[in-house]
Amino acid sequence: MFDLDFRSREPIYEQIKKQIIRLAVTGVLKPDEKLPAVRQVAMELNVNPNTVQKAYQQLDAAGVIYSLPGKGSFVASSQETDEYARSQLEKELERVVIHALENAWSAEEILRLVDEITKRWRGEKQ
Amino acid sequence: MFDLDFRSREPIYEQIKKQIIRLAVTGVLKPDEKLPAVRQVAMELNVNPNTVQKAYQQLDAAGVIYSLPGKGSFVASSQETDEYARSQLEKELERVVIHALENAWSAEEILRLVDEITKRWRGEKQ
Amino acid sequence: MFDLDFRSREPIYEQIKKQIIRLAVTGVLKPDEKLPAVRQVAMELNVNPNTVQKAYQQLDAAGVIYSLPGKGSFVASSQETDEYARSQLEKELERVVIHALENAWSAEEILRLVDEITKRWRGEKQ
Amino acid sequence: MFDLDFRSREPIYEQIKKQIIRLAVTGVLKPDEKLPAVRQVAMELNVNPNTVQKAYQQLDAAGVIYSLPGKGSFVASSQETDEYARSQLEKELERVVIHALENAWSAEEILRLVDEITKRWRGEKQ
DNA sequence: GTGGTCTAGACCACG
DNA sequence: GTGGTCTAGACCACT
């Protein structure tokens, strides 16, 4: 279900968070659908249950999922998830674009590169 | 000379690296111009010399500056710097854009947001 | 008969306890009236019988209901119930009010907020 | 510095969070003041560093403190803290007051009890 | 079997 | 020495 890169600088729990958000935003996981149990995910990914727990707990605090002790964890309403995902991505994009502008990139250069990346990605997807 | 944000999550040495690159790319620092000594920068910025040293070393390894033992550190040719800065930024941008695409953003949405960020930044600069 | 919120952090058995107490205190359930059987409540609420059992047991231990083996569970005298409910609520309220006072709230602020909550609740009820 | 109740149902990290908030709201801890290190608090309280870390991290996510790896954790602006503390307390108070109202308490009864608790607390403080 | 808390102890990046 | 991440493994409350 998930795909981790253990060599990445990005913490494992962050990778898990992002993948769950991706699945929720793209509609693979529906609102109120049950997520796999913490221990099950931990086994499948070969990581410690605490690491998965941390991801679930932070998503819960952010309103992306809701966890019911004794029952499981479930996807929250799509509105909450979309808002959270959108604000996170906007922050990331803003940081990078401003960094480029500070390094004397023109708006046209940035837009052209974004367009190129998008087209390349579309090609790989098909 | 530099402007650091000690409250940022971004490591100090990364901030120093980015600012030197920015000054080189924007032409404030000319090729073969001597950089201020590690200790002097450390004193001016009120940071540990090790931190400045780390920034200089990594810039050296990346070919953006070159260090002559006993003489100091100097800005490399603008070509080296531009290539390094460009490839770093392209990698960053690609990562973020693909992340957005994976989260069901349309190319139009991304381009619109980039445009918006650019205009906002221009406004703040003036 | 009851109205549960399965998404709440509050344990299901606690919700059942509070609702039975509420019905007894408000006079909907009369003293010595028979409560519905554990299994019946469990079926109606779609919860595990153990969960209902736990609620009944704790109410029994608190003296709010009394269970006659083989005959069922019955509402205790209104005096028992009122005392229990009152002491529970006083404890809860004391805990929260003291917490507010410790966080530099003034008595006036607390009273004003209580008043506001009361008025809002009255509005929603009608 | 802190005062824990290990027998309480309230998690230790929650108790730590509340105490730090209390100290910040009451002005004992000033904005940008350095908090004791995670490991130091852990030693003083005789708890595991991970437990203290959890408290610090959640306060950081809530904007009440900011943590700089390698430097320490610091109290954020009083505005952030006040807002967070206020909203938490309002939620707690609302829950309890509504619970009382549902159990047939009159607004006057509640206000009288709050007043009584306040006066008793003032007496104990002096 | 579920999520949640906690301990013990290790390792890493940063300053 | 600082915060941050992770593992291993235990115990608890709830369903």
Side-chain angles (χ1 to χ4, degrees):
Chain A
M1 188 163 186
F2 301 126
D3 190 25
L4 296 185
D5 176 8
F6 289 95
R7 282 174 297 179
S8 163
R9 275 97 171 147
E10 189 167 53
I12 296 175
Y13 75 87
E14 274 295 347
Q15 295 184 43
I16 296 174
K17 279 171 66 180
K18 285 192 181 167
Q19 303 220 21
I20 291 178
I21 290 172
R22 200 194 68 230
L23 294 174
V25 167
T26 55
V28 177
L29 290 172
K30 310 289 184 196
D32 295 316
E33 185 173 342
K34 189 176 181 302
L35 291 167
V38 168
R39 288 162 174 80
Q40 187 188 332
V41 175
M43 267 192 36
E44 284 175 11
L45 300 181
N46 257 319
V47 296
N48 190 283
N50 284 330
T51 304
V52 181
Q53 171 82 350
K54 192 172 192 170
Y56 274 40
Q57 214 161 306
Q58 293 195 2
L59 289 174
D60 182 53
V64 174
I65 70 174
Y66 57 94
S67 297
L68 305 180
K71 299 187 75 177
S73 297
F74 305 84
V75 179
S77 89
S78 59
Q79 197 196 334
E80 305 282 341
T81 310
D82 287 356
E83 266 173 33
Y84 181 74
R86 178 161 201 93
S87 77
Q88 291 299 101
L89 277 164
E90 280 181 4
K91 266 186 232 161
E92 275 190 68
L93 194 59
E94 180 169 2
R95 202 181 52 74
V96 174
V97 170
I98 288 182
H99 190 193
L101 290 167
E102 286 177 343
N103 278 268
W105 285 40
S106 69
E108 290 70 35
E109 260 181 310
I110 299 173
L111 289 170
R112 187 166 5 102
L113 186 53
V114 169
D115 200 52
E116 188 187 315
I117 295 167
T118 308
K119 292 214 170 74
R120 203 187 317 142
W121 184 78
R122 290 240 170 94
E124 285 172 7
K125 284 281 286 185
Q126 289 165 358
Chain B
M1 186 166 184
F2 302 138
D3 194 24
L4 297 184
D5 178 7
F6 290 98
R7 296 208 199 167
S8 163
R9 249 80 177 176
E10 190 166 14
I12 302 293
Y13 77 88
E14 273 295 347
Q15 293 187 45
I16 296 175
K17 278 171 64 182
K18 284 190 181 168
Q19 302 233 21
I20 292 178
I21 290 172
R22 198 196 70 230
L23 294 175
V25 168
T26 54
V28 177
L29 288 173
K30 309 292 183 194
D32 296 315
E33 184 175 340
K34 187 175 183 301
L35 290 168
V38 167
R39 287 175 212 146
Q40 187 190 332
V41 175
M43 269 193 34
E44 282 175 13
L45 299 181
N46 246 320
V47 297
N48 193 305
N50 291 331
T51 306
V52 181
Q53 180 72 7
K54 191 173 197 169
Y56 276 38
Q57 264 172 0
Q58 294 194 3
L59 288 175
D60 190 353
V64 173
I65 67 175
Y66 58 91
S67 301
L68 301 180
K71 300 185 102 175
S73 299
F74 305 83
V75 179
S77 85
S78 63
Q79 199 195 335
E80 303 282 344
T81 309
D82 286 357
E83 261 174 35
Y84 179 74
R86 180 161 198 91
S87 77
Q88 287 298 100
L89 276 164
E90 280 181 3
K91 262 188 238 164
E92 276 191 68
L93 194 59
E94 179 169 2
R95 202 183 51 75
V96 174
V97 170
I98 288 182
H99 191 193
L101 290 166
E102 286 178 342
N103 277 269
W105 284 40
S106 68
E108 290 70 35
E109 266 181 305
I110 299 173
L111 290 170
R112 186 167 7 103
L113 187 52
V114 169
D115 200 53
E116 192 186 299
I117 293 167
T118 307
K119 293 214 172 76
R120 204 187 316 144
W121 185 76
R122 292 240 168 94
E124 284 172 10
K125 285 284 285 185
Q126 288 166 358
Chain C
M1 185 165 186
F2 302 136
D3 193 23
L4 298 184
D5 178 6
F6 289 98
R7 295 205 198 169
S8 162
R9 249 81 178 176
E10 190 167 12
I12 302 294
Y13 78 88
E14 273 295 346
Q15 293 187 45
I16 296 175
K17 278 171 63 181
K18 284 189 180 168
Q19 301 233 21
I20 292 177
I21 290 172
R22 198 196 72 229
L23 295 174
V25 167
T26 55
V28 177
L29 289 172
K30 309 291 183 194
D32 296 315
E33 185 174 340
K34 188 176 183 300
L35 290 167
V38 167
R39 288 176 209 144
Q40 187 190 331
V41 175
M43 268 191 36
E44 282 176 13
L45 299 180
N46 246 321
V47 298
N48 194 303
N50 290 332
T51 306
V52 181
Q53 180 72 7
K54 192 173 196 169
Y56 275 38
Q57 265 172 359
Q58 294 194 4
L59 288 175
D60 190 353
V64 174
I65 67 175
Y66 58 92
S67 300
L68 302 179
K71 299 186 101 175
S73 299
F74 303 84
V75 179
S77 86
S78 62
Q79 198 195 335
E80 303 281 345
T81 309
D82 287 357
E83 262 175 36
Y84 179 75
R86 179 159 199 94
S87 77
Q88 288 298 100
L89 276 164
E90 281 182 2
K91 263 187 237 162
E92 276 190 66
L93 195 58
E94 180 169 3
R95 202 182 50 75
V96 174
V97 170
I98 289 183
H99 190 193
L101 291 166
E102 286 177 340
N103 277 268
W105 284 40
S106 69
E108 291 70 35
E109 266 182 306
I110 299 173
L111 290 170
R112 187 169 2 106
L113 186 52
V114 169
D115 200 52
E116 193 186 300
I117 293 168
T118 308
K119 293 214 170 77
R120 204 187 316 145
W121 184 77
R122 292 242 168 93
E124 283 171 10
K125 285 284 284 185
Q126 287 166 358
Chain D
M1 189 163 185
F2 300 127
D3 190 24
L4 297 185
D5 177 8
F6 289 95
R7 283 174 297 180
S8 164
R9 275 95 172 147
E10 189 167 52
I12 295 174
Y13 75 88
E14 274 295 346
Q15 296 184 43
I16 296 174
K17 279 170 66 179
K18 285 191 181 166
Q19 303 220 23
I20 292 178
I21 290 172
R22 201 196 65 230
L23 294 174
V25 167
T26 54
V28 177
L29 290 172
K30 310 290 184 195
D32 295 316
E33 185 174 339
K34 189 174 181 304
L35 291 168
V38 168
R39 288 162 173 80
Q40 187 188 332
V41 175
M43 268 192 35
E44 283 175 12
L45 299 180
N46 258 318
V47 297
N48 191 283
N50 284 330
T51 304
V52 181
Q53 170 82 348
K54 193 172 192 170
Y56 274 40
Q57 213 161 307
Q58 293 193 3
L59 288 175
D60 181 55
V64 174
I65 70 174
Y66 58 92
S67 297
L68 305 179
K71 299 186 75 177
S73 297
F74 305 83
V75 179
S77 89
S78 59
Q79 197 196 337
E80 305 281 342
T81 310
D82 287 356
E83 267 173 33
Y84 181 73
R86 179 161 200 92
S87 76
Q88 291 299 101
L89 277 164
E90 281 181 3
K91 266 186 232 161
E92 276 191 67
L93 194 58
E94 179 169 3
R95 201 180 52 73
V96 174
V97 171
I98 288 182
H99 190 192
L101 291 166
E102 286 177 343
N103 278 269
W105 283 40
S106 69
E108 290 70 36
E109 260 181 309
I110 299 173
L111 290 170
R112 187 166 6 103
L113 187 52
V114 169
D115 201 52
E116 187 187 318
I117 294 167
T118 307
K119 292 214 171 74
R120 202 188 317 143
W121 184 78
R122 291 240 170 94
E124 285 171 9
K125 284 281 286 186
Q126 288 164 359

